[in-house]
Amino acid sequence: MDWRMYHAIYDVSLDHHSVGSFFNAVEKASIPVMVVGTVFLWLLARPGGERKWKLAAASGLGAAALALAVNLALHSIWDRPRPYESHDIRHPWSSATDASFPSDHASASLAIAFAILAFDAVVGAVFLAVALLIAIGRLFIGAHYPGDVLTSVAVALAASFVVVRIARPLVAKLVRAFEHLTDPVLRSLWRFRPEAGSRR
């Protein structure tokens, strides 16, 4: 079943090369974009003000790290070969040979999105849309079976729940500690000078 679904999805990319090329470009930028976007949320928090965006950013990165740690454990249990390693198919967009189950790209990006969604519905929805595009893209470039990506959804949900709900006091403590390093720098960016406006 997993192979048949994989074959049906991947055939779209093989028959329409532009589809595979598009998702390949998405995949190459996926993790950097998600990480930079998450870090940018930290910059939205005014130094000394509400910590909502700092908590969202820290929770997103923490959930991604936990999801990847879970994946690493699952990889050691089942070193599932990539689809193109087990089947005689063309694979112009992926050449990775690490374990296929589950998808690290999908797990990390979805974990970030689910964690941020817990803090803000609108921004979280944007992150979730990007994460879903990344997860679906793993199928269209032929890097994973559908079951690998579906498992990543479960891993991401579990990781984000643990970080946002269970480990929130620890995350808040880390945020308070780290903001002592970033707030002095960010304060200069947020500084408002009313005297500049009064001269106009």
Side-chain angles (χ1 to χ4, degrees):
M1 174 68 76
D2 217 12
W3 161 245
R4 288 198 297 270
M5 292 179 64
Y6 167 88
H7 202 282
I9 296 171
Y10 189 43
D11 274 354
V12 175
S13 294
L14 292 178
D15 293 339
H16 305 279
H17 201 271
S18 59
V19 174
S21 297
F22 167 75
F23 280 108
N24 185 49
V26 169
E27 297 308 308
K28 287 181 178 179
S30 59
I31 298 304
V33 167
M34 290 296 289
V35 171
V36 170
T38 305
V39 171
F40 179 73
L41 294 181
W42 184 282
L43 304 180
L44 292 179
R46 192 182 187 97
E50 187 183 5
R51 293 191 175 98
K52 170 185 172 180
W53 295 119
K54 290 178 180 177
L55 289 169
S59 297
L61 295 177
L66 179 57
L68 291 176
V70 172
N71 278 10
L72 189 61
L74 292 175
H75 292 167
S76 66
I77 296 172
W78 185 19
D79 187 10
R80 187 183 198 183
R82 297 281 179 157
Y84 43 78
E85 293 181 294
S86 300
H87 303 276
D88 185 20
I89 55 174
R90 290 188 293 124
H91 52 98
W93 296 290
S94 181
S95 58
T97 56
D98 57 327
S100 181
F101 175 89
S103 166
D104 287 342
H105 282 74
S107 295
S109 57
L110 286 168
I112 288 174
F114 289 142
I116 293 173
L117 191 62
F119 289 89
D120 190 274
V122 175
V123 175
V126 173
F127 272 82
L128 184 57
V130 175
L132 288 173
L133 184 67
I134 293 169
I136 293 171
R138 302 307 291 169
L139 301 176
F140 278 98
I141 66 170
H144 294 280
Y145 294 98
D148 301 338
V149 174
L150 287 175
T151 302
S152 292
V153 176
V155 169
L157 279 170
S160 61
F161 177 82
V162 169
V163 171
V164 174
R165 301 300 180 190
I166 300 176
R168 185 159 184 161
L170 175 60
V171 173
K173 185 176 181 179
L174 292 173
V175 165
R176 288 194 296 271
F178 193 67
E179 70 182 1
H180 287 303
L181 300 175
T182 62
D183 276 9
V185 177
L186 295 176
R187 191 168 284 114
S188 62
L189 300 177
W190 276 91
R191 187 172 297 142
F192 177 71
R193 298 178 181 176
E195 67 275 12
S198 62
R199 296 193 190 103
R200 296 178 182 176

